Amino acid sequence: MIKSKYNWNLNNPTEYISDSIAQRLKLSPIIKKILESKNIIEEEDIQRTLNGVDINHDSSLLSDIDKAIERINQAIDKNERILVYGDYDADGVTSTTILVHTLQKLGAQVGWYIPNRFTEGYGPNELAFQNAYDEGVSLIITVDNGIQGHAEIKMAQDLGVDVIVTDHHEIGRTLPEAYAIVHPMHPEFDYPFKYLCGAGVAYKLAQALLENVPNYFKAYAAIGTIADLVSLTDENRSIVQHGLKVMNDSCPVPVKALLNQASYNDEITEETIGFIIGPRLNAVGRLEDASLAAELLMSDSEDEAEFLAEQVEHFNQERKDIVAQITEEALAMAENYVSQGHQFLLLAKEDWHEGVLGIVASKIVETYSLPTLILNIDYEQNHAKGSARSIEQVSMFEILNAHQDLISKFGGHHMAAGMTMDIDNVEALRDGLNEWMARLSETTSLEPSKKIDVLLDESDITIKNIKDIQKLRPFGTDFNSPLFEIQNMTINSLKAIGKEQNHLKMTLGDSTLPALFWQNGAYATQLDNGQTVNLIGNLQINEWNGNQTPQFIVQDIAMDTMQILDYRSKSKNTNFLNNDQSTAFVIHSKVHKSNDNEFYYGEVIPVEYDKIVFRDLPNTLDELKSTLQQTQISQIYLVFQHKMSIYFEGMPSISLFKQCYKALINKKETNLATEGMMLCDFLNIKANSLKFMLKVFLELGFINEDDGIITIASQPSKQDIETSQLYQARLSRIEVEKLLLYDDFNHLKLWIKTQLGYSN
């Protein structure tokens, strides 16, 4: 049995697309099921999803937009100096670029500034605002930040510098005292769509300020939308669709330069943004000053863009190396806290690079499905600073907001946050967050889950159906790529692949469907050909040498039946299980226990162990039966280590025993050192067999032995050879070896299942 890592929640829609709509729109059965699972059942909504539609809400409905426009125009008319104050992530640099270019087109005297993540942190900064004032700036416009900058904004306003906040992050208990706040979630306004990203808000402000918005603004707004993981529905979906079209029809010079450095020349999709463009723009601000990324996006020279993109690529490679090192350390720390029962993982260490801690937090969440906060301890600055990532059941903004008395500064939303705090408060915050989680767990299940769109038949997995599914793109937050479940798929072949054998490749079912399970190569040791599994995952088209084949990208795997895995071959080992706390090892009674998860044959193994390794060969089959019959098991690994085998030597016959005894009587005294091999030759047996027979005679009192000299006992009692304990032990050992070491594996599995009470 393999337990799934997630609870699989198959979506059972309550409303369905009518047959008339399905026929009119020529919906294939699989597309119909997917749309129904996403509650898209009305004809207009279906057409909008399949064909795209220009959802462009009226910018005038945004909070304080008229006030902001009036103040910006006033600044332009009076030739005031304007500063666009951005942020250091992909959303921040794209929103900065959009607004700076907008103001330049209007003839404004505009500059821009992106705070340094390490020296200034996220959001408004008093020193930066003071410097702007000293340089004659009279209007600051924040993009992708500002909603939490109460003190800094008040300071600027008190100096006579007006601050217009454009932001999309969660609004706290109070609003900053800014000149204007342009925010889709402003509580006093009713903008039709609440989930724009920073670049989306900047794009809407550009629409309000310009008669003709440049097409490449759509591309940058799409990059910010995908990279910031905001909801890919409604207006955001339209922004991304239009932005992708722009990038594929006439790719902006800076974006093309980035893709050239990544050696990417295929169609640009949401995945291109999510896995290639976004991470590279983010990498600069994670390691150094993000101004480089903004300079790249603002460039219109191919040579300059290529030069800047090359530097960005360097930062991206460096970022990968740093992330790998910190992740390894953080995973070890997380494992310790998980073993202690922590439900919120606060991991803190000195000399962790602050810029990549959000990525590391995401990897910890992927591994343990627990909300995670990763902090760098900086004793020189006397603070801890880092990033948090959450799970669906826990609002990171809410949980950190409930402990803001321990936090100097933080900002974020439901799934992510960044923060700074005093080092002395780290332990108190860890305790507080876990207490909060303990209370939440009383009313809310924290079990990780996956929402499954459609249960597929193997026959549904065709190139045509996969191409139909791709018509639903772009996929993203709140409009995920369809997750499918397929059941009872027989494994035809499997192997671990990759440099470190950390990925799993399989072929499945009658169609020999190729399947890949990234970062799960360990399953190659837990599965076997011919077994049937249930899987959830996504469908892709794999292209090789001009041929297209369906491919299943696995996200989780489960097996309902108990597994018995054959590891009797010396070429196999179970080292991969040594550090697994859910594994019990059954050992020989003569071996000293060295760990708490080691048990002798016959002992009851606690239910928390769902994997059992029968490491040593038992003395008798009854010992093994006893263990099997009183233990609940989902996976059995058969190893059966042993120093020597006697099965092929067999049991000497009774007539051979008699012949040997007669030979000893005739000699009256036998010196084993000088005459043992002669006796073996006479009886036509090996030395081990002779030694065994002599031990049986000695046990029964038929002979005496003194320093290798054998003599016949003067008055031996009459006993059958079969009454010897050594004789019976050898019979048992031969029986054990025959079944456990040398029998056909299928027959052995059947015998084990019988002991466990299975009917077949």
Side-chain angles (χ1 to χ4, degrees), residues 65-89:
I65 189 77
D66 292 337
K67 193 176 180 182
I69 292 171
E70 182 181 3
R71 182 66 184 88
I72 290 169
N73 286 329
Q74 177 187 323
I76 294 171
D77 292 342
K78 293 184 177 182
N79 204 31
E80 296 180 51
R81 298 190 67 181
I82 303 173
L83 178 70
V84 175
Y85 188 92
D87 186 31
Y88 40 69
D89 65 2

PDB file of all heavy atoms in Angstrom, residues 65-89:
ATOM      1  N   ILE A  65      -8.913  57.497  -7.963  1.00  0.00           N
ATOM      2  CA  ILE A  65      -8.247  57.605  -9.262  1.00  0.00           C
ATOM      3  C   ILE A  65      -8.338  59.022  -9.823  1.00  0.00           C
ATOM      4  O   ILE A  65      -7.363  59.555 -10.374  1.00  0.00           O
ATOM      5  CB  ILE A  65      -8.816  56.568 -10.269  1.00  0.00           C
ATOM      6  CG1 ILE A  65      -7.977  56.526 -11.557  1.00  0.00           C
ATOM      7  CG2 ILE A  65     -10.268  56.848 -10.574  1.00  0.00           C
ATOM      8  CD1 ILE A  65      -6.693  55.785 -11.403  1.00  0.00           C
ATOM      9  N   ASP A  66      -9.499  59.655  -9.663  1.00  0.00           N
ATOM     10  CA  ASP A  66      -9.655  61.023 -10.171  1.00  0.00           C
ATOM     11  C   ASP A  66      -8.726  61.975  -9.436  1.00  0.00           C
ATOM     12  O   ASP A  66      -8.102  62.861 -10.044  1.00  0.00           O
ATOM     13  CB  ASP A  66     -11.109  61.482 -10.017  1.00  0.00           C
ATOM     14  CG  ASP A  66     -12.047  60.718 -10.940  1.00  0.00           C
ATOM     15  OD1 ASP A  66     -11.561  60.189 -11.977  1.00  0.00           O
ATOM     16  OD2 ASP A  66     -13.253  60.630 -10.632  1.00  0.00           O
ATOM     17  N   LYS A  67      -8.631  61.777  -8.137  1.00  0.00           N
ATOM     18  CA  LYS A  67      -7.757  62.619  -7.315  1.00  0.00           C
ATOM     19  C   LYS A  67      -6.296  62.423  -7.726  1.00  0.00           C
ATOM     20  O   LYS A  67      -5.517  63.377  -7.808  1.00  0.00           O
ATOM     21  CB  LYS A  67      -7.960  62.264  -5.843  1.00  0.00           C
ATOM     22  CG  LYS A  67      -7.366  63.240  -4.859  1.00  0.00           C
ATOM     23  CD  LYS A  67      -7.732  62.829  -3.432  1.00  0.00           C
ATOM     24  CE  LYS A  67      -7.143  63.813  -2.417  1.00  0.00           C
ATOM     25  NZ  LYS A  67      -7.447  63.406  -1.016  1.00  0.00           N
ATOM     26  N   ALA A  68      -5.920  61.174  -7.976  1.00  0.00           N
ATOM     27  CA  ALA A  68      -4.546  60.868  -8.381  1.00  0.00           C
ATOM     28  C   ALA A  68      -4.226  61.486  -9.735  1.00  0.00           C
ATOM     29  O   ALA A  68      -3.148  62.082  -9.924  1.00  0.00           O
ATOM     30  CB  ALA A  68      -4.349  59.354  -8.421  1.00  0.00           C
ATOM     31  N   ILE A  69      -5.152  61.362 -10.693  1.00  0.00           N
ATOM     32  CA  ILE A  69      -4.927  61.904 -12.032  1.00  0.00           C
ATOM     33  C   ILE A  69      -4.791  63.426 -11.974  1.00  0.00           C
ATOM     34  O   ILE A  69      -3.908  64.016 -12.617  1.00  0.00           O
ATOM     35  CB  ILE A  69      -6.074  61.500 -12.974  1.00  0.00           C
ATOM     36  CG1 ILE A  69      -6.032  59.988 -13.228  1.00  0.00           C
ATOM     37  CG2 ILE A  69      -5.994  62.261 -14.288  1.00  0.00           C
ATOM     38  CD1 ILE A  69      -7.248  59.467 -13.963  1.00  0.00           C
ATOM     39  N   GLU A  70      -5.667  64.059 -11.221  1.00  0.00           N
ATOM     40  CA  GLU A  70      -5.617  65.524 -11.088  1.00  0.00           C
ATOM     41  C   GLU A  70      -4.269  65.975 -10.529  1.00  0.00           C
ATOM     42  O   GLU A  70      -3.669  66.932 -11.024  1.00  0.00           O
ATOM     43  CB  GLU A  70      -6.756  65.992 -10.171  1.00  0.00           C
ATOM     44  CG  GLU A  70      -6.809  67.501 -10.002  1.00  0.00           C
ATOM     45  CD  GLU A  70      -7.924  67.941  -9.063  1.00  0.00           C
ATOM     46  OE1 GLU A  70      -8.617  67.071  -8.505  1.00  0.00           O
ATOM     47  OE2 GLU A  70      -8.068  69.161  -8.867  1.00  0.00           O
ATOM     48  N   ARG A  71      -3.770  65.249  -9.502  1.00  0.00           N
ATOM     49  CA  ARG A  71      -2.499  65.647  -8.881  1.00  0.00           C
ATOM     50  C   ARG A  71      -1.332  65.390  -9.833  1.00  0.00           C
ATOM     51  O   ARG A  71      -0.388  66.195  -9.900  1.00  0.00           O
ATOM     52  CB  ARG A  71      -2.289  64.854  -7.579  1.00  0.00           C
ATOM     53  CG  ARG A  71      -1.003  65.233  -6.842  1.00  0.00           C
ATOM     54  CD  ARG A  71      -1.058  66.665  -6.332  1.00  0.00           C
ATOM     55  NE  ARG A  71       0.190  67.083  -5.706  1.00  0.00           N
ATOM     56  CZ  ARG A  71       1.230  67.621  -6.348  1.00  0.00           C
ATOM     57  NH1 ARG A  71       1.164  67.788  -7.683  1.00  0.00           N
ATOM     58  NH2 ARG A  71       2.310  67.999  -5.701  1.00  0.00           N
ATOM     59  N   ILE A  72      -1.365  64.304 -10.586  1.00  0.00           N
ATOM     60  CA  ILE A  72      -0.296  64.012 -11.539  1.00  0.00           C
ATOM     61  C   ILE A  72      -0.271  65.063 -12.648  1.00  0.00           C
ATOM     62  O   ILE A  72       0.802  65.576 -13.018  1.00  0.00           O
ATOM     63  CB  ILE A  72      -0.480  62.597 -12.127  1.00  0.00           C
ATOM     64  CG1 ILE A  72      -0.207  61.534 -11.051  1.00  0.00           C
ATOM     65  CG2 ILE A  72       0.445  62.378 -13.327  1.00  0.00           C
ATOM     66  CD1 ILE A  72      -0.611  60.129 -11.444  1.00  0.00           C
ATOM     67  N   ASN A  73      -1.438  65.393 -13.181  1.00  0.00           N
ATOM     68  CA  ASN A  73      -1.502  66.410 -14.234  1.00  0.00           C
ATOM     69  C   ASN A  73      -1.035  67.764 -13.724  1.00  0.00           C
ATOM     70  O   ASN A  73      -0.372  68.525 -14.446  1.00  0.00           O
ATOM     71  CB  ASN A  73      -2.922  66.510 -14.790  1.00  0.00           C
ATOM     72  CG  ASN A  73      -3.266  65.324 -15.684  1.00  0.00           C
ATOM     73  OD1 ASN A  73      -2.380  64.764 -16.346  1.00  0.00           O
ATOM     74  ND2 ASN A  73      -4.528  64.938 -15.718  1.00  0.00           N
ATOM     75  N   GLN A  74      -1.384  68.070 -12.480  1.00  0.00           N
ATOM     76  CA  GLN A  74      -0.935  69.326 -11.871  1.00  0.00           C
ATOM     77  C   GLN A  74       0.595  69.356 -11.802  1.00  0.00           C
ATOM     78  O   GLN A  74       1.225  70.378 -12.123  1.00  0.00           O
ATOM     79  CB  GLN A  74      -1.521  69.460 -10.464  1.00  0.00           C
ATOM     80  CG  GLN A  74      -1.047  70.701  -9.703  1.00  0.00           C
ATOM     81  CD  GLN A  74      -1.524  70.692  -8.252  1.00  0.00           C
ATOM     82  OE1 GLN A  74      -2.641  70.263  -7.964  1.00  0.00           O
ATOM     83  NE2 GLN A  74      -0.684  71.174  -7.357  1.00  0.00           N
ATOM     84  N   ALA A  75       1.184  68.224 -11.387  1.00  0.00           N
ATOM     85  CA  ALA A  75       2.642  68.154 -11.289  1.00  0.00           C
ATOM     86  C   ALA A  75       3.299  68.314 -12.655  1.00  0.00           C
ATOM     87  O   ALA A  75       4.352  68.963 -12.788  1.00  0.00           O
ATOM     88  CB  ALA A  75       3.051  66.829 -10.660  1.00  0.00           C
ATOM     89  N   ILE A  76       2.664  67.731 -13.682  1.00  0.00           N
ATOM     90  CA  ILE A  76       3.221  67.845 -15.041  1.00  0.00           C
ATOM     91  C   ILE A  76       3.122  69.288 -15.524  1.00  0.00           C
ATOM     92  O   ILE A  76       4.079  69.842 -16.083  1.00  0.00           O
ATOM     93  CB  ILE A  76       2.488  66.885 -15.992  1.00  0.00           C
ATOM     94  CG1 ILE A  76       2.768  65.428 -15.596  1.00  0.00           C
ATOM     95  CG2 ILE A  76       2.919  67.130 -17.444  1.00  0.00           C
ATOM     96  CD1 ILE A  76       1.922  64.416 -16.341  1.00  0.00           C
ATOM     97  N   ASP A  77       1.965  69.903 -15.293  1.00  0.00           N
ATOM     98  CA  ASP A  77       1.759  71.292 -15.731  1.00  0.00           C
ATOM     99  C   ASP A  77       2.746  72.236 -15.061  1.00  0.00           C
ATOM    100  O   ASP A  77       3.231  73.197 -15.685  1.00  0.00           O
ATOM    101  CB  ASP A  77       0.324  71.733 -15.418  1.00  0.00           C
ATOM    102  CG  ASP A  77      -0.700  71.008 -16.271  1.00  0.00           C
ATOM    103  OD1 ASP A  77      -0.300  70.440 -17.319  1.00  0.00           O
ATOM    104  OD2 ASP A  77      -1.890  70.975 -15.889  1.00  0.00           O
ATOM    105  N   LYS A  78       3.053  72.000 -13.798  1.00  0.00           N
ATOM    106  CA  LYS A  78       3.944  72.888 -13.037  1.00  0.00           C
ATOM    107  C   LYS A  78       5.402  72.437 -13.079  1.00  0.00           C
ATOM    108  O   LYS A  78       6.243  73.008 -12.381  1.00  0.00           O
ATOM    109  CB  LYS A  78       3.472  72.972 -11.589  1.00  0.00           C
ATOM    110  CG  LYS A  78       2.126  73.658 -11.424  1.00  0.00           C
ATOM    111  CD  LYS A  78       1.755  73.811  -9.947  1.00  0.00           C
ATOM    112  CE  LYS A  78       0.442  74.573  -9.784  1.00  0.00           C
ATOM    113  NZ  LYS A  78       0.098  74.756  -8.356  1.00  0.00           N
ATOM    114  N   ASN A  79       5.655  71.399 -13.906  1.00  0.00           N
ATOM    115  CA  ASN A  79       7.017  70.871 -14.038  1.00  0.00           C
ATOM    116  C   ASN A  79       7.613  70.446 -12.698  1.00  0.00           C
ATOM    117  O   ASN A  79       8.802  70.626 -12.446  1.00  0.00           O
ATOM    118  CB  ASN A  79       7.923  71.899 -14.727  1.00  0.00           C
ATOM    119  CG  ASN A  79       9.113  71.243 -15.386  1.00  0.00           C
ATOM    120  OD1 ASN A  79       9.032  70.099 -15.838  1.00  0.00           O
ATOM    121  ND2 ASN A  79      10.233  71.962 -15.442  1.00  0.00           N
ATOM    122  N   GLU A  80       6.758  69.895 -11.841  1.00  0.00           N
ATOM    123  CA  GLU A  80       7.246  69.372 -10.562  1.00  0.00           C
ATOM    124  C   GLU A  80       8.034  68.086 -10.804  1.00  0.00           C
ATOM    125  O   GLU A  80       7.810  67.367 -11.779  1.00  0.00           O
ATOM    126  CB  GLU A  80       6.067  69.065  -9.630  1.00  0.00           C
ATOM    127  CG  GLU A  80       5.258  70.266  -9.214  1.00  0.00           C
ATOM    128  CD  GLU A  80       4.099  69.862  -8.294  1.00  0.00           C
ATOM    129  OE1 GLU A  80       4.357  69.154  -7.300  1.00  0.00           O
ATOM    130  OE2 GLU A  80       2.947  70.237  -8.600  1.00  0.00           O
ATOM    131  N   ARG A  81       8.915  67.802  -9.878  1.00  0.00           N
ATOM    132  CA  ARG A  81       9.675  66.550  -9.966  1.00  0.00           C
ATOM    133  C   ARG A  81       8.851  65.418  -9.343  1.00  0.00           C
ATOM    134  O   ARG A  81       8.372  65.535  -8.211  1.00  0.00           O
ATOM    135  CB  ARG A  81      11.023  66.684  -9.260  1.00  0.00           C
ATOM    136  CG  ARG A  81      11.911  67.742  -9.887  1.00  0.00           C
ATOM    137  CD  ARG A  81      13.324  67.675  -9.334  1.00  0.00           C
ATOM    138  NE  ARG A  81      13.996  66.440  -9.735  1.00  0.00           N
ATOM    139  CZ  ARG A  81      15.238  66.128  -9.375  1.00  0.00           C
ATOM    140  NH1 ARG A  81      15.929  66.940  -8.611  1.00  0.00           N
ATOM    141  NH2 ARG A  81      15.777  64.996  -9.783  1.00  0.00           N
ATOM    142  N   ILE A  82       8.707  64.343 -10.106  1.00  0.00           N
ATOM    143  CA  ILE A  82       7.916  63.186  -9.662  1.00  0.00           C
ATOM    144  C   ILE A  82       8.860  61.998  -9.482  1.00  0.00           C
ATOM    145  O   ILE A  82       9.751  61.773 -10.302  1.00  0.00           O
ATOM    146  CB  ILE A  82       6.825  62.825 -10.693  1.00  0.00           C
ATOM    147  CG1 ILE A  82       5.901  64.030 -10.947  1.00  0.00           C
ATOM    148  CG2 ILE A  82       6.014  61.608 -10.222  1.00  0.00           C
ATOM    149  CD1 ILE A  82       4.905  63.802 -12.074  1.00  0.00           C
ATOM    150  N   LEU A  83       8.646  61.257  -8.423  1.00  0.00           N
ATOM    151  CA  LEU A  83       9.417  60.032  -8.192  1.00  0.00           C
ATOM    152  C   LEU A  83       8.466  58.839  -8.177  1.00  0.00           C
ATOM    153  O   LEU A  83       7.500  58.811  -7.411  1.00  0.00           O
ATOM    154  CB  LEU A  83      10.164  60.097  -6.853  1.00  0.00           C
ATOM    155  CG  LEU A  83      10.957  58.836  -6.490  1.00  0.00           C
ATOM    156  CD1 LEU A  83      12.168  58.681  -7.407  1.00  0.00           C
ATOM    157  CD2 LEU A  83      11.397  58.852  -5.026  1.00  0.00           C
ATOM    158  N   VAL A  84       8.752  57.850  -9.018  1.00  0.00           N
ATOM    159  CA  VAL A  84       8.027  56.575  -8.969  1.00  0.00           C
ATOM    160  C   VAL A  84       8.824  55.650  -8.054  1.00  0.00           C
ATOM    161  O   VAL A  84       9.987  55.335  -8.330  1.00  0.00           O
ATOM    162  CB  VAL A  84       7.869  55.954 -10.373  1.00  0.00           C
ATOM    163  CG1 VAL A  84       7.216  54.572 -10.268  1.00  0.00           C
ATOM    164  CG2 VAL A  84       7.035  56.873 -11.260  1.00  0.00           C
ATOM    165  N   TYR A  85       8.183  55.232  -6.958  1.00  0.00           N
ATOM    166  CA  TYR A  85       8.861  54.427  -5.936  1.00  0.00           C
ATOM    167  C   TYR A  85       8.377  52.984  -6.054  1.00  0.00           C
ATOM    168  O   TYR A  85       7.219  52.673  -5.769  1.00  0.00           O
ATOM    169  CB  TYR A  85       8.543  54.993  -4.547  1.00  0.00           C
ATOM    170  CG  TYR A  85       9.325  54.369  -3.410  1.00  0.00           C
ATOM    171  CD1 TYR A  85      10.525  54.924  -2.986  1.00  0.00           C
ATOM    172  CD2 TYR A  85       8.874  53.231  -2.762  1.00  0.00           C
ATOM    173  CE1 TYR A  85      11.253  54.374  -1.940  1.00  0.00           C
ATOM    174  CE2 TYR A  85       9.583  52.667  -1.715  1.00  0.00           C
ATOM    175  CZ  TYR A  85      10.772  53.242  -1.309  1.00  0.00           C
ATOM    176  OH  TYR A  85      11.482  52.684  -0.268  1.00  0.00           O
ATOM    177  N   GLY A  86       9.256  52.098  -6.508  1.00  0.00           N
ATOM    178  CA  GLY A  86       8.838  50.743  -6.855  1.00  0.00           C
ATOM    179  C   GLY A  86       9.187  49.680  -5.839  1.00  0.00           C
ATOM    180  O   GLY A  86       9.396  49.956  -4.656  1.00  0.00           O
ATOM    181  N   ASP A  87       9.268  48.453  -6.329  1.00  0.00           N
ATOM    182  CA  ASP A  87       9.599  47.304  -5.480  1.00  0.00           C
ATOM    183  C   ASP A  87      10.562  46.414  -6.256  1.00  0.00           C
ATOM    184  O   ASP A  87      10.678  46.512  -7.477  1.00  0.00           O
ATOM    185  CB  ASP A  87       8.320  46.538  -5.101  1.00  0.00           C
ATOM    186  CG  ASP A  87       8.597  45.422  -4.097  1.00  0.00           C
ATOM    187  OD1 ASP A  87       9.524  45.574  -3.284  1.00  0.00           O
ATOM    188  OD2 ASP A  87       7.893  44.395  -4.146  1.00  0.00           O
ATOM    189  N   TYR A  88      11.225  45.502  -5.524  1.00  0.00           N
ATOM    190  CA  TYR A  88      12.348  44.774  -6.106  1.00  0.00           C
ATOM    191  C   TYR A  88      11.994  43.420  -6.708  1.00  0.00           C
ATOM    192  O   TYR A  88      12.888  42.666  -7.077  1.00  0.00           O
ATOM    193  CB  TYR A  88      13.457  44.586  -5.069  1.00  0.00           C
ATOM    194  CG  TYR A  88      12.976  44.266  -3.670  1.00  0.00           C
ATOM    195  CD1 TYR A  88      12.374  43.051  -3.370  1.00  0.00           C
ATOM    196  CD2 TYR A  88      13.131  45.200  -2.650  1.00  0.00           C
ATOM    197  CE1 TYR A  88      11.933  42.764  -2.095  1.00  0.00           C
ATOM    198  CE2 TYR A  88      12.696  44.918  -1.361  1.00  0.00           C
ATOM    199  CZ  TYR A  88      12.103  43.707  -1.085  1.00  0.00           C
ATOM    200  OH  TYR A  88      11.667  43.429   0.187  1.00  0.00           O
ATOM    201  N   ASP A  89      10.714  43.069  -6.835  1.00  0.00           N
ATOM    202  CA  ASP A  89      10.382  41.804  -7.484  1.00  0.00           C
ATOM    203  C   ASP A  89       9.886  42.048  -8.902  1.00  0.00           C
ATOM    204  O   ASP A  89       9.843  43.187  -9.377  1.00  0.00           O
ATOM    205  CB  ASP A  89       9.367  41.013  -6.655  1.00  0.00           C
ATOM    206  CG  ASP A  89       8.016  41.704  -6.561  1.00  0.00           C
ATOM    207  OD1 ASP A  89       7.838  42.781  -7.169  1.00  0.00           O
ATOM    208  OD2 ASP A  89       7.127  41.163  -5.871  1.00  0.00           O
TER     209      ASP A  89
END
